[in-house]
């Protein structure tokens, strides 16, 4: 239990947001706090040293990341209990948003240590603020799973979601994710790809999932990006396999006709849909 006296002698943990690209986005308060604390816990100390050099901040840095979290946590809590003031930062943006930190913060709360957020940039909010989609209700899903099946399963689960969905995505996985989107949510699913926010090549691509597939096949995405999916006005769409199964089982159309129809509706090459139909028939014996 924390006594009044402990409160006076324990330090404070400041959770400080840093820029996601443009260094001018740091706040006055963030610079002041980072200059005043005794120690800064950073995800990558080499990376943060560059930020500190830019702002003339001279503070000792210790690493705090996914791999040393537990060990470091005990050490940092002890230092806070001994009266030192600490700041937590990540490589970019707001700590704990797809970044390490929450366990340290939870331990501080549990130990009665004051935790003070110093708000600032986050790619998620930056993307939403200028995406031009409804933000009344949204769900942040972090990074999509890396494995194709897990990713498709999650997208299937999210299909029909009435809140705007936000994901962090890497440029080398974007094409595969967009292809899944066409198949699972449909060619007409609206998509915003917010790229290189606050940086020189900042871009907001807005279009349908099918248009996004074409654009990023022509010109593969570079840099950092946020994928924003506002709810489709057309409601959830059946995935290609289920839609094909339904048509083939109804028996009104030939395979050729069913394939043509689905390919048009989903904006997919007929050859892919034909292959899918053969695998379906094989599966069903
Ligand atoms: N904590 C950070 C925040 O508050 O946004 C996010 C850290 S997460 C490890 C990094 C991911 O955030 C990137 O892969 C990308 O999806 C997104 N991101 C970070 N900076 C970005 C930027 N300038 N433009 C677009 N996306 C960015």
């Amino acid at each position: 239990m924390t006594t009044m006296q402990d409160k006076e002698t324990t330090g404070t943990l400041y959770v400080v947001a840093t820029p996601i690209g443009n260094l001018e986005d740091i706040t006055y308060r963030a610079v002041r706090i980072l200059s005043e604390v005794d120690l800064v816990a950073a995800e990558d100390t080499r990376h943060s040293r560059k930020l500190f050099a830019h702002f003339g901040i001279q503070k000792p840095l210790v690493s705090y990341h996914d791999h040393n979290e537990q060990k470091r946590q005990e050490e940092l809590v002890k230092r806070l209990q001994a009266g030192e003031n600490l700041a937590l930062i990540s490589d970019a943006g707001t700590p704990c948003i797809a970044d390490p930190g929450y366990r340290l913060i939870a331990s501080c709360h549990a130990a009665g240590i004051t935790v003070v957020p110093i708000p600032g940039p986050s790619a998620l909010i930056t993307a939403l603020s200028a995406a031009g989609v409804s933000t009344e209700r949204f769900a942040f899903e972090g990074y999509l799973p890396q494995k194709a099946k897990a990713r498709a399963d999650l997208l299937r689960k999210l299909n029909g979601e009435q809140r705007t969905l936000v994901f962090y995505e890497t440029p080398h996985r974007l094409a595969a994710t967009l292809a899944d989107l066409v198949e699972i949510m449909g060619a007409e699913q609206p998509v915003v790809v917010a790229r290189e926010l606050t940086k020189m090549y900042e871009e907001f691509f807005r279009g349908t999932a099918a248009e996004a597939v074409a654009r990023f096949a022509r010109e593969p995405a570079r840099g950092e990006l946020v994928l924003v999916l506002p709810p489709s006005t057309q409601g959830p769409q059946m995935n290609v396999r289920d839609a094909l199964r339904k048509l083939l089982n109804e028996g009104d159309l030939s395979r050729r006709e069913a394939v043509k129809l689905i390919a048009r509706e989903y904006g997919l090459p007929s050859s892919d849909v034909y292959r899918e139909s053969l695998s379906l028939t094989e599966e069903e014996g």
Side-chain angles (χ1 to χ4, degrees):
M1 204 172 121
T2 323
T3 64
M4 200 58 186
Q5 196 180 355
D6 289 336
K7 275 268 175 221
E8 278 162 21
T9 52
T10 56
T12 296
L13 176 70
Y14 296 93
V15 184
V16 183
T18 56
I20 56 168
N22 191 325
L23 295 183
E24 287 181 17
D25 292 334
I26 201 158
T27 67
Y28 288 117
R29 193 172 172 218
V31 174
R32 179 176 63 76
I33 294 290
L34 291 174
S35 310
E36 286 176 3
V37 290
D38 298 295
L39 179 73
V40 179
E43 207 185 339
D44 177 345
T45 52
R46 272 195 317 192
H47 180 96
S48 299
R49 234 167 242 130
K50 290 185 200 146
L51 178 81
F52 281 21
H54 183 87
F55 290 103
I57 300 169
Q58 288 173 333
K59 279 293 151 186
L61 283 151
V62 288
S63 67
Y64 177 86
H65 46 66
D66 289 336
H67 307 293
N68 70 358
E69 222 176 346
Q70 191 143 16
K71 180 172 151 273
R72 211 39 123 206
Q73 196 166 300
E74 290 163 21
E75 200 179 305
L76 296 175
V77 169
K78 274 199 195 121
R79 292 183 76 149
L80 284 153
Q81 282 170 327
E84 289 187 55
N85 291 319
L86 263 58
L88 172 71
I89 59 175
S90 54
D91 284 353
T94 302
C96 300
I97 307 300
D99 268 337
Y102 89 89
R103 289 193 184 87
L104 170 65
I105 294 169
S107 328
C108 287
H109 283 300
I113 293 161
T114 307
V115 178
V116 175
I118 309 295
S122 181
L124 148 75
I125 301 297
T126 308
L128 279 178
S129 72
V133 303
S134 164
T135 51
E136 212 167 307
R137 293 167 69 230
F138 64 86
F140 174 54
E141 285 285 332
Y143 285 103
L144 278 162
Q146 295 188 16
K147 296 229 162 78
K149 183 172 179 311
R151 184 180 60 222
D153 286 348
L154 178 64
L155 289 174
R156 243 173 241 124
K157 221 164 86 189
L158 294 170
N159 191 18
E161 172 62 62
Q162 285 310 292
R163 294 170 296 180
T164 289
L165 294 169
V166 190
F167 303 92
Y168 283 167
E169 188 52 290
T170 58
H172 65 277
R173 282 203 294 266
L174 181 67
T177 297
L178 293 173
D180 280 355
L181 280 181
V182 168
E183 182 175 336
I184 295 163
M185 299 191 178
E188 295 303 313
Q189 165 65 47
V191 167
V192 181
V193 178
R195 229 171 44 78
E196 291 290 85
L197 295 166
T198 78
K199 303 187 204 174
M200 189 182 309
Y201 297 107
E202 180 176 84
E203 181 202 18
F204 284 85
F205 168 88
R206 290 164 49 87
T208 63
E211 285 164 350
V213 166
R215 151 69 206 272
F216 291 104
R218 227 175 26 242
E219 213 184 311
R222 294 219 187 123
E224 296 189 286
L225 55 95
V226 182
L227 181 62
V228 182
L229 304 179
S232 169
T233 47
Q234 303 184 343
Q237 189 179 29
M238 240 190 259
N239 70 49
V240 170
R241 210 171 165 81
D242 289 343
L244 256 176
R245 183 183 287 117
K246 185 164 177 281
L247 277 187
L248 292 173
N249 288 347
E250 278 169 2
D252 297 329
L253 299 177
S254 68
R255 181 184 302 273
R256 255 174 77 97
E257 288 165 332
V259 165
K260 208 167 141 192
L261 193 80
I262 299 283
R264 199 171 50 225
E265 200 172 316
Y266 286 75
L268 294 170
S270 300
S271 53
D272 289 359
V273 182
Y274 185 72
R275 220 173 302 123
E276 189 77 26
S277 81
L278 291 183
S279 111
L280 243 182
T281 309
E282 207 174 295
E283 179 188 287
E284 295 185 353

